[in-house]
């Protein structure tokens, strides 16, 4: 059993990860500054002796004795990562440096939650790990995209120069219970709007595509990658290759929730990628991993969760 640090552990993905690690019998230290994370996501874990919560910001150094580190700290929704873009870059870059420094010192295996955003608005489809991406370095998404790209660089430099044992995952859009109702990402927005009988806001013509992975599938992939003893550092795509337009997603959500919501069209944000689909050949080969929960089932679980949240 390992002692494991999860940065961003009170967020959407982090809180599911903390739960799964505890279920496997590990000790978990959850570090979070609660920017987009919530105590409500982890409050049920607080009484457990194997679980510890640290309010801390990853841009400030910290010392711990751990076997594994999962570095998830970083706001993931465009509205939140653009709220303070410079802080987002600091979180990605200085957070990576602090976590990697710790990993080097205590010889911990370290995981980086990177993103399909490193591919930017991709010119190849589906995206494979050897694609270098098409990112606007000065646009409104750059604080996140370039911050994550720089973090990947740091991970591979620490690996090459200092022998740090790294695992870099490129996560494609993931959804599920424990997203914030006001998170701003498309699945939570559409579900919450439909449940409240509000207009469903499609940005642009709604023909842009995304591939949506259910949270439990993703977390299973995270843990398999960390358990993998072959030393393969990544980068590794994790996501569900099922690809949908935002219009198809809106129609699915409306059909499931019912009610009188109407679809309305709003301007497309600058540099919004036109299409996204992970090529997961490598994850299948290296981890024997592929997602099990398709969008219809995942949406049912997500709608059931938000029904309780937003009444
Ligand atoms: P989230 O916003 O719910 O979680 C991020 C967590 O990090 C929050 O708990 C937040 O409070 C914490 N955090 C932010 N800045 C911090 C700082 N400076 N110090 C300490 N804690 C800080 O988002 P999420 O969807 O759970 O994403 C988790 C990670 O996965 C992020 O790194 C994100 O970039 C990555 N990711 C997620 C997705 C997705 O679809 N969910 C896709 C690609 C990558
Ligand atoms: N989107 C939308 N309506 C919303 C929120 C998002 O049409 O209320 C679109 C957004 O423009 C993008 C897609 O949905 O094309 C996915 O957006 P999200 O913020 O979830 O993720 P990302 O763009 O980072 O993949």
């Amino acid at each position: 059993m390992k002692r494991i640090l999860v940065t961003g552990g009170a967020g959407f993905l982090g809180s599911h990860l903390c739960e799964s690690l505890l279920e496997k019998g590990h000790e978990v230290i959850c570090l979070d500054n609660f920017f987009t994370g919530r105590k409500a996501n982890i409050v049920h874990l607080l009484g457990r002796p194997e679980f510890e919560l640290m309010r801390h910001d990853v841009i400030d150094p910290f010392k711990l004795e751990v076997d594994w580190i999962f570095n998830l700290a970083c706001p993931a929704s465009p509205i939140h990562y653009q709220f303070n873009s410079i802080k987002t870059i600091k979180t990605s870059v200085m957070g990576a440096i602090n976590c990697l420094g710790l990993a080097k010192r205590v010889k911990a295996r370290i995981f980086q939650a990177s993103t399909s955003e490193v591919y930017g608005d991709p010119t190849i489809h589906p995206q494979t790990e050897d694609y270098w991406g098409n990112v606007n370095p000065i646009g409104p998404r750059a604080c996140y995209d370039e911050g994550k790209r720089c973090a990947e660089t740091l991970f591979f430099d620490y690996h090459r120069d200092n022998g740090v044992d790294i695992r870099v995952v490129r996560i494609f859009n993931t959804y599920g219970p424990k997203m914030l109702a006001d998170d701003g990402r498309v699945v939570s927005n559409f579900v919450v709007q439909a449940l409240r009988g509000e207009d469903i806001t499609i940005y642009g013509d709604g023909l842009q595509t995304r591939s949506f992975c259910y949270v439990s599938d993703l977390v299973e992939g995270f843990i398999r990658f960390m358990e993998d003893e072959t030393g393969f550092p990544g980068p590794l795509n994790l996501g569900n290759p099922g690809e949908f337009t935002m219009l198809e997603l809106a129609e699915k959500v409306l059909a499931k929730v019912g009610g009188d919501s109407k679809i309305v069209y709003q301007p497309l944000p600058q540099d919004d990628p036109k299409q996204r689909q992970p090529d997961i050949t490598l994850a299948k080969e290296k981890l024997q991993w592929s997602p099990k929960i398709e969008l219809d089932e995942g949406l049912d679980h997500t709608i059931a969760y938000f029904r309780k949240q937003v009444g």
Side-chain angles (χ1 to χ4, degrees), residues 130-171:
D130 55 4
Y131 176 54
W132 291 352
N134 177 34
V135 174
N136 173 2
I138 56 169
R141 296 173 80 97
C143 60
Y144 183 75
D145 301 6
E146 298 290 14
K148 289 284 186 178
R149 286 168 68 95
C150 182
E152 285 200 9
T153 307
L154 285 161
F155 267 71
F156 277 84
D157 283 340
Y158 269 80
H159 177 59
R160 263 189 302 265
D161 298 353
N162 300 114
V164 173
D165 185 10
I166 62 164
R167 303 284 186 277
V168 175
V169 160
R170 293 181 179 154
I171 304 165

Side-chain angles (χ1 to χ4, degrees), residues 8 10-14 31-37 56-59 72-76 87 91 113-115 144 148 171-174 185:
F12 161 51
L13 297 180
L31 179 155
D32 206 294
N33 72 349
F34 296 107
F35 176 49
T36 49
H56 189 81
D57 197 305
V58 281
I59 74 171
L72 273 65
C74 186
K87 174 72 193 228
T91 295
S114 190
T115 169
Y144 183 75
K148 289 284 186 178
I171 304 165
F172 285 66
N173 298 59
T174 300
R185 280 176 281 184

